[in-house]
């Protein structure tokens, strides 16, 4: 330690020279000054931050009012101009004149009334105060009297009360005219009476005044409304009001623009910045540009615009829903844009990106198949179903049939157990009763046993019903991909491995996704591929399909293009693709398929090779049937039960492709055409396909990849889905979305796929980024690690074909799939329509979308569908899929009908019948049979028309000897035989039929049930009048078919004989009056009737005399006539019709009895085929030209005639 | 007192070189600067980042003052006359200086200045960094890593080493009670009201050790623990899908007291384990007691001892007379109380941390009621 003497020396030295004390002498002023300045500065900063820094919206609001006022001023002049212009118009002048005259007329009376009111009011004023004073005092005394006890006080108050009531009060009532006020003395009763009288008088006079003003007010209102409706912008006055509001009294607070929905805890302050959202004017970004209206808009201008779809705000009132409920974001945050948009790391509901905005709809409309107005979302749902996402991923609403089927099967087995238990109990009870000594006990036991037996019979009935449901559900259950049990029958052996390797290479845009690991895994992947191919090949039905001869390729092409195939399928390659995106592109069918099988398929795609028994988990063979002495016969109607155990069988191919009811020869022609487009290429060594050693591997691989999600594969019928359930995928916490080794890239905005090249590199560590990248390149999240992983640990999702638009749509769907827990919206606001009508609509869409009805029909105005239109990539067109085809350009009449008002048009019973069998074959009617198939065994007489053709007993494995089963209702349309497009038979189950019919009724707001009113029978004179109307002017039978083949050749409208069953009279009446309003673009001429006071009369320049003398409603008469039409009447009309058709000598003859078969040649001789076809085509073309000409003339006549009146 | 100049310069140089080398190694080993920036810039972590600088600074400041006082104390001990005059503890009194300083204005103005500076800092801090509020809480989904506020992170980190009962209840209670008790177990009358190391070497070192440990736990909790409470070295990416091998066993399992070995007597095992643990912990307390008894009688440990085993041995063998005197003043109750708190916190914590992190030993003493 420091024990040396040095310190002392130093101390002594220091003592010699005194130093200044460092603490006492040091000044702290400088540092104090600096610190104080800093304090003041930071205090100032804090104040600024409080006022503006934390309230960035204040600056925005100032900008808004500035820019908005500038914009308003810029349009004010125009508004004034346009207002002045409208005021110049004679209509306005007249209205204005009327209003003024009316006002002038009552002016003197009004003045008189006003004078009266003033007089009465003066008196009333005089009397009111004394009256009220007295009344108050009396009330007080009365109260005291009521609450007093003891005789003295009661007497005292009573006397006070009496005195008060008698007390005379001086009132200065003004005299009539200008005389001096007269002082009067009144007691309380007089006061009260005077007061009431005066009040009544005043009310009476005011009422009279209002009566006088009624007419002028209404006229003025009419005038102002006219002005409002005819001025394009807001009227000048409203604009002035707006300017004033924004300049002088703009509300610069949060509360002034906040939406607060107490009920759901929604507090949204979005509108403190988005100030234009609900402005009455529609504000565009350019209107709010910083440099003045019309200049280049900046970000702020974009924030100030009106809501782009104001009609949505009508249904979703922001005062009820707020903003963030649909758009996401943090509605309460006001301190920065990032926070308000919820794009900070911890906010659970970030604002949906603009292109995914419709994800917001999905939150509440998750159970709807179609959400009106949400095209992107709807497309996403279409794709999720059509492109087979649903094969691997469960999504709640998409699993209707599957879930219901599982439930039904479980219920059946439960009920069966219950029945067994009941039976045992009943037996025990019966046995016990034999031993029971007591009489009542015996009776009790027997009664119990009886009740159990009754219960059992009820349960058995329930099982029957469930069995029926099972059958229907099985009938409705479809797979996205084809049945791979038919591989051997259908496909060329060498094509299978090539397809598996890269389906997109063979058929770009196909539904089948690319299983990239087959190629990326090198040797191992190639082995896997071989194993899968071998499994499929070996585990398939082996047999021979009936051999078919070649058909006529040109006729096939014509049929292919005209029958409606292109509503779902596309044809052509690269930039020349035409047709729908719903089903496969058929250009390369010849390269992959077996001709015979394809003919069979086109002829009836639902026809299954062998039925599948879900109970035994195997396909039945003819032996199963012969064991029980039954023919090998299965169909949806009568032979759908397993001969072994009675379970409901899968009796048809699980495809949505319908039966087009083609004749056998037509099917051959189409197949020939398709096969002419490409020819097979020789394959490599295929010995592995028959290597039984590969089967086990193949099975494992198929299981691993989940092939059975989309395909029927032997051994995988009950296979579960392999993918993640996506019902609430959007609500998955971000850190549970496995970005794996590219998390950092995502966070830093390094995008290996460059999905949004236009944007700057931006962070994609969010849900949107995850979904988009996963969809675009499913393997991306294995980046950097797949080499080290076992196959089972690697990502399995194959790469689907998706256009950019499709990817966005699917991303939107996923982003919005949040479930009740994850949604920003309280579940109470979810869309669940309480009324049956809207439920029917929602149920219907599932079926309609499932079968792609929009391929042919327009079901709602503004419908948009995705098609190939001479392009490599699908595009959206409006209308139905077929509308884009060149074949139909200019031939609107030959397109399938629009169904926008189908429910109002047709009788639901009839519609049900029609949907079940669109050929509308009468009972006992024989199907039209092409002569060439006459050798085929006749259809089982017991099978009903719409059933899948019953199959005669034959060996399941070799049906080469057999023929195709003849088709019921072959080759004709029930209602519109003139259409080339066939309404196919879809084999809807009764469930789906009901759903569809209810859908159409609900869409048209029809009553349920529909009960037909009986029609008044017509008198002879009415009949003749109606007949006259029918044939004069534009003769109805010129276009409508009658069943006479010669006449029908050029007819383009349905038969009147169907009307009574098919149509609703009220709709028909409206249709006659203005068809173009119901179905824009219809061939039916408009203006057939004109209004004559309260009735509609036929619009003819010179109507026949009996017609003009008929005083009823002509249109209604005609409706009755149509609904009571008989074949005899029609024939009579036809002969009377002035526009008798030229005899079409070249028309092929059809049986007169079923004369509505258009274009079905009765013979198919090789020479006559061509001849007949050529003739028909020629006739068809001529007919069209003639028709157009006729229509033009008829319309011109109508217009001319209307001008004469 | 030896002349410090050349030594000091050499020490500074060595310190600088070591610092540069460490910094270089750190920079070299960082894979992910973004990650570091994310941690450092999080508003939550501002106090801890500040602490990284403030704690060394104030420690340095305190040591500096203590060194000056110690020097003065040395001088005063050698000069009886000087000892009688006033001194201000920090610097030796010099002629011309005031012998007494008044609170007003000399102390108050400094306190005022401090108040102003702190106010400015708080203003700026509160303006520039908003409260790091997060999303509405979702009880079904906790964030990962889910961290306590910074001042509780030490406690949270302790959960890794002890069972929740010990780490969450017993240890904090012992620490708090210990802090309250220490003034009463202190038998040293010196060192009140001024900085000194020399007069309170053992007390200051013990407190410093405990404080440092606490800071260390907080720093680990903040900078080292990532998703899943996994150990990420600074600069490593906090990967949510990171995989680590972390096999924790109890000490008795390592030593073969497993159900497999006690297949014949499964009921015996808990007893054996319990008694074994008790013995180990008792042994630890005994050894720890001996260690502290030895440590509290040592003189100052100099750097040179660390490179010269001979001198280290001499230091370890020879008790310091001053410390012996202090020990003699301590009552047995004071002594035992101190020993209990010292062994069970100051020693047990680092030992357990070491066992857990290096030897992956989970618990030493397993009982049905608590685990140590």
């Amino acid at each position: 330690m420091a024990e040396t003497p040095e310190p002392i020396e130093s101390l002594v030295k220091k003592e010699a020279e005194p130093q200044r004390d460092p603490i006492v002498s040091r000044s702290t002023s400088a540092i104090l000054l600096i610190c104080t300045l800093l304090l003041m500065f930071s205090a100032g900063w804090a104040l600024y931050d409080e006022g503006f820094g934390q309230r960035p919206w204040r600056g925005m609001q100032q900008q808004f009012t500035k820019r908005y006022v500038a914009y308003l001023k810029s349009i004010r002049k125009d508004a004034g101009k346009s207002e002045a212009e409208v005021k110049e118009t004679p209509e306005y002048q007249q209205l204005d004149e009327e209003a003024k005259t009316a006002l002038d007329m009552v002016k003197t009376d009004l003045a008189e009334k006003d004078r009266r009111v003033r007089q009465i009011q003066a008196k009333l004023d005089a009397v009111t105060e004394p009256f009220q004073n007295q009344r108050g005092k009396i009330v007080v005394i009365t109260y005291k009297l009521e609450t007093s006890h003891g005789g003295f006080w009661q007497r005292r108050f009573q006397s006070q009360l009496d005195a008060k009531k008698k007390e005379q009060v001086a009132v200065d009532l003004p005299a009539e005219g200008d005389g001096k006020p007269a002082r009067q003395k009144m007691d309380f009763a007089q006061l009260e009476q005077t007061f009431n009288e005066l009040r009544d008088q005043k009310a009476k006079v005011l009422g009279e005044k209002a009566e006088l003003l009624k007419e002028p007010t209404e006229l003025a209102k009419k005038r102002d409304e006219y002005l409002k409706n005819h001025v394009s912008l807001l009227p000048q006055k409203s604009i002035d009001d707006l300017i004033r509001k924004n300049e002088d009294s703009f509300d610069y607070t949060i509360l002034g623009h906040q939406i607060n929905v107490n009920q759901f805890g929604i507090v949204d302050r979005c509108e403190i910045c988005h100030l234009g959202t609900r402005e009455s004017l529609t504000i565009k970004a350019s209107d709010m540009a910083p440099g003045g209206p019309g200049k280049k808009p900046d970000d702020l201008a974009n924030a100030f615009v009106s809501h782009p779809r104001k009609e949505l705000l009508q249904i979703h009132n922001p005062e009820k829903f707020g903003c963030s409920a649909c758009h996401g974001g943090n509605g309460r945050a006001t301190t920065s844009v990032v926070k308000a948009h919820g794009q900070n790391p911890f906010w659970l509901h970030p604002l949906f990106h603009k292109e995914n905005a419709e994800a917001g709809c999905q939150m509440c409309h998750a159970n709807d198949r179609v959400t009106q107005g949400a095209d992107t979302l709807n497309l996403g749902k279409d794709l999720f179903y059509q492109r087979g996402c649903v094969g691997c991923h469960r999504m709640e609403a998409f699993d209707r049939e599957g879930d219901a089927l599982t439930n039904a099967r479980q219920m059946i087995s439960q009920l069966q157990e219950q029945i067994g238990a009941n039976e045992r109990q009943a037996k025990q009870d019966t046995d016990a009763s034999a031993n029971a000594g007591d009489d009542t006990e015996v009776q009790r036991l027997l009664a119990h046993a009886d009740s159990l037996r009754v219960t059992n019979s009820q349960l058995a009935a329930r099982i029957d019903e469930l069995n029926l449901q099972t059958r229907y559900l099985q009938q409705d259950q479809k797979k996205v991909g084809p049945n791979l049990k038919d591989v051997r029958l259908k496909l060329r052996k060498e094509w299978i491995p090539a397809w598996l390797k890269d389906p997109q290479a063979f058929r770009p845009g196909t539904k089948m996704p690319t299983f990239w690991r087959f190629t990326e895994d090198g040797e191992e992947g190639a082995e896997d591929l071989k194993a899968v191919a071998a499994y499929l090949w070996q585990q398939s039905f082996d047999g021979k399909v009936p051999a078919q001869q070649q058909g006529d390729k040109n006729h096939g092409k014509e049929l292919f293009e005209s029958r409606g195939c292109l509503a779902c399928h596309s044809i052509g390659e690269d930039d020349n693709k035409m047709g729908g995106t719903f089903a496969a592109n058929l250009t390369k069918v010849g390269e992959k398929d077996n001709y015979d099988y394809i003919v069979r398929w086109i002829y009836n795609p639902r026809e299954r090779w062998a039925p599948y028994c879900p109970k035994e988990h195997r396909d039945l063979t003819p032996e199963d049937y012969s064991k029980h002495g039954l023919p090998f016969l299965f169909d949806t109607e009568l032979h759908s039960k397993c001969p072994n155990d009675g379970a409901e069988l899968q009796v048809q191919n699980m495809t949505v492709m319908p039966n087009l009811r083609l004749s056998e020869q037509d099917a051959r022609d189409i197949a020939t055409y398709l096969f002419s487009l490409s020819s097979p290429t020789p394959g490599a060594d295929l010995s592995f396909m028959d290597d039984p050693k590969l089967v086990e591997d193949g099975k494992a691989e198929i299981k691993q990849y989940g092939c059975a999600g989309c395909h029927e594969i032997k051994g995988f019928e009950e296979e579960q889905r392999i993918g993640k359930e996506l019902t609430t995928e959007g609500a998955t916490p971000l850190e549970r979305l496995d970005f794996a080794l590219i998390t950092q890239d995502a966070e830093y905005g390094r995008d290996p796929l460059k999905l949004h090249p236009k944007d700057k590199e931006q962070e994609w560590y969010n849900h949107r980024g995850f979904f988009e990248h996963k969809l675009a390149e499913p393997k991306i999240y294995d980046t950097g690690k797949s080499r080290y992983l076992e196959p089972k640990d690697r990502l399995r999702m194959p790469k689907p074909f998706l256009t950019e638009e499709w990817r966005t749509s699917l991303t939107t769907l996923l982003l919005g799939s949040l479930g009740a827990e994850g949604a920003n919206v309280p579940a109470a606001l979810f869309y669940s329509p309480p009324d049956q009508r809207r439920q029917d609509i929602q149920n219907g869409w599932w079926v309609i979308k499932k079968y792609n009805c929009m391929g042919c029909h327009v079901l709602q105005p503004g419908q948009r569908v995705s098609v190939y239109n001479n392009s490599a990539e699908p595009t959206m067109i409006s209308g139905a899929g077929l509308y884009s085809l060149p074949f139909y350009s200019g031939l609107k009449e030959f397109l399938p009908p629009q169904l926008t008002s189908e429910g109002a048009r047709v009788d639901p019973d009839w519609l049900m019948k029609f949907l079940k069998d669109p050929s509308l074959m009468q009972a006992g009617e024989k199907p039209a049979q092409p002569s060439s198939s006459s050798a085929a065994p006749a259809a089982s007489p017991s099978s009903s028309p719409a059933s899948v053709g019953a199959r005669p007993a034959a060996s399941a494995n070799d049906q080469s000897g057999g023929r195709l089963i003849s088709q019921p209702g072959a080759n004709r349309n029930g209602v519109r035989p003139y259409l080339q497009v066939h309404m196919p038979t879809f084999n809807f189950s009764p469930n789906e039929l009901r759903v569809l019919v209810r859908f159409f009724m609900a869409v048209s707001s029809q009553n349920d049930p529909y009960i037909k009113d009986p029609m008044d029978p017509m008198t002879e004179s009415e009949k003749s009048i109606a007949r006259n109307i029918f044939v004069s002017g534009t003769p109805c039978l010129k276009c409508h078919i009658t069943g006479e083949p010669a006449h029908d050749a050029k007819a383009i409208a349905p038969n009147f004989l169907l009307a009574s069953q098919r149509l609703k009279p009220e709709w028909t009446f409206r249709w006659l009056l203005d068809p173009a309003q119901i179905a824009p673009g219809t061939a039916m001429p408009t203006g057939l009737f004109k209004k004559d006071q309260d009735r509609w009369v036929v619009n003819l320049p010179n109507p026949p005399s009996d017609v003009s003398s008929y005083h009823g409603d002509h249109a209604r008469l005609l409706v009755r006539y149509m609904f009571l039409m008989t074949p005899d009447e029609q024939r009579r009309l036809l002969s009377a019709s002035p526009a008798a058709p030229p005899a079409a000598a070249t028309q092929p003859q059809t049986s007169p009895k079923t004369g509505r078969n258009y274009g079905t040649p009765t013979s198919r001789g090789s020479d006559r085929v061509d001849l007949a076809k050529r003739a028909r085509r020629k006739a068809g073309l001529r007919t069209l030209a003639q028709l157009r000409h006729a229509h033009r003339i008829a319309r011109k006549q109508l217009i001319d005639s209307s001008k004469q009146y | 007192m030896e002349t410090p100049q050349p030594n000091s310069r050499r020490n500074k140089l060595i310190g600088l070189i070591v610092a540069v080398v460490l910094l270089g190694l750190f920079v070299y080993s960082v894979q992910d600067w973004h990650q570091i920036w994310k941690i450092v810039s999080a508003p939550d972590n501002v106090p801890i980042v500040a602490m990284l600088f403030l704690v060394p600074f104030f420690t340095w400041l305190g040591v500096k003052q203590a060194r000056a006082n110690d020097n003065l104390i040395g001088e005063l001990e050698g000069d009886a006359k000087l000892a009688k005059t006033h001194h201000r503890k920090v610097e030796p009194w010099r002629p011309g200086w005031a012998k007494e300083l008044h609170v007003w204005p000399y102390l108050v103005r400094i306190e005022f200045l401090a108040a102003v500076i702190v106010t400015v800092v708080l203003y700026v801090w509160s303006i520039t960094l908003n409260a790091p509020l997060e999303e509405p809480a979702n009880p079904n989904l906790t964030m990962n890593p889910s961290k306590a506020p910074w001042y509780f992170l030490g406690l949270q980190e302790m959960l890794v080493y002890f069972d929740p009962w010990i780490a969450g209840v017993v240890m904090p209670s012992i620490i708090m009670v210990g802090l309250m008790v220490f003034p009463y177990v202190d038998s040293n009358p010196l060192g009140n009201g001024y900085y000194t190391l020399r007069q309170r070497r053992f007390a200051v070192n013990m407190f410093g050790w405990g404080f440092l440990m606490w800071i260390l736990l907080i720093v680990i909790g903040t900078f080292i623990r990532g998703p899943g409470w996994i150990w990420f070295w600074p600069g490593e990416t906090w990967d949510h899908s990171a995989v680590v091998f972390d096999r924790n066993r109890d000490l008795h399992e390592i030593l073969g007291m497993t159900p497999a070995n006690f297949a014949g007597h499964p009921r015996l095992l808990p007893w054996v384990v319990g008694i074994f643990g008790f013995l180990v912990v008792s042994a630890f307390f005994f050894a720890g007691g001996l260690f502290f008894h030895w440590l509290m009688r040592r003189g100052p440990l100099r750097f040179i001892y660390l490179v010269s085993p001979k001198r280290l041995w001499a230091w370890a063998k020879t008790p310091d007379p001053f410390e012996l005197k202090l020990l003699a003043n301590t009552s047995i109750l004071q002594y035992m109380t101190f020993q209990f708190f010292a062994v069970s916190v100051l020693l047990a914590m680092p030992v357990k941390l070491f066992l857990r992190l290096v030897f992956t030993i989970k618990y030493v003493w397993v009982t049905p009621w608590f685990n140590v």
Side-chain angles (χ1 to χ4, degrees), chain A residues 696-724:
Chain A
E696 272 312 304
D697 278 357
K699 191 166 187 177
E701 287 299 320
I702 287 172
K703 199 174 176 62
Q704 159 84 0
Y705 283 122
C707 309
C710 295
H711 298 283
E712 255 189 281
I713 301 172
K714 198 176 259 180
F716 287 92
E717 289 90 350
E718 311 297 321
E719 187 72 2
Q720 296 298 310
R721 275 175 247 223
I722 63 160
K724 188 185 181 198

Side-chain angles (χ1 to χ4, degrees), chain A residues 346-376:
Chain A
F346 298 113
W347 193 252
L348 294 176
H349 312 285
L351 188 78
F352 293 120
H353 197 267
K354 197 171 181 181
E355 61 187 19
N356 307 115
E358 283 165 19
C361 310
Q362 168 73 0
M363 281 193 274
C364 300
H365 294 270
N367 288 321
D368 299 356
R369 182 63 178 79
V370 168
T371 308
Q372 299 294 333
D375 289 342
T376 309

Side-chain angles (χ1 to χ4, degrees), chain A residues 1 11 21 346 744 748, chain B residues 32 34 82 88 95 135 198:
Chain A
M1 289 282 152
L11 276 171
D21 188 313
F346 298 113
Q744 263 202 347
Y748 300 169
Chain B
D32 188 354
H34 185 77
L82 199 61
R88 295 188 201 165
E135 75 276 23
R198 183 172 166 155

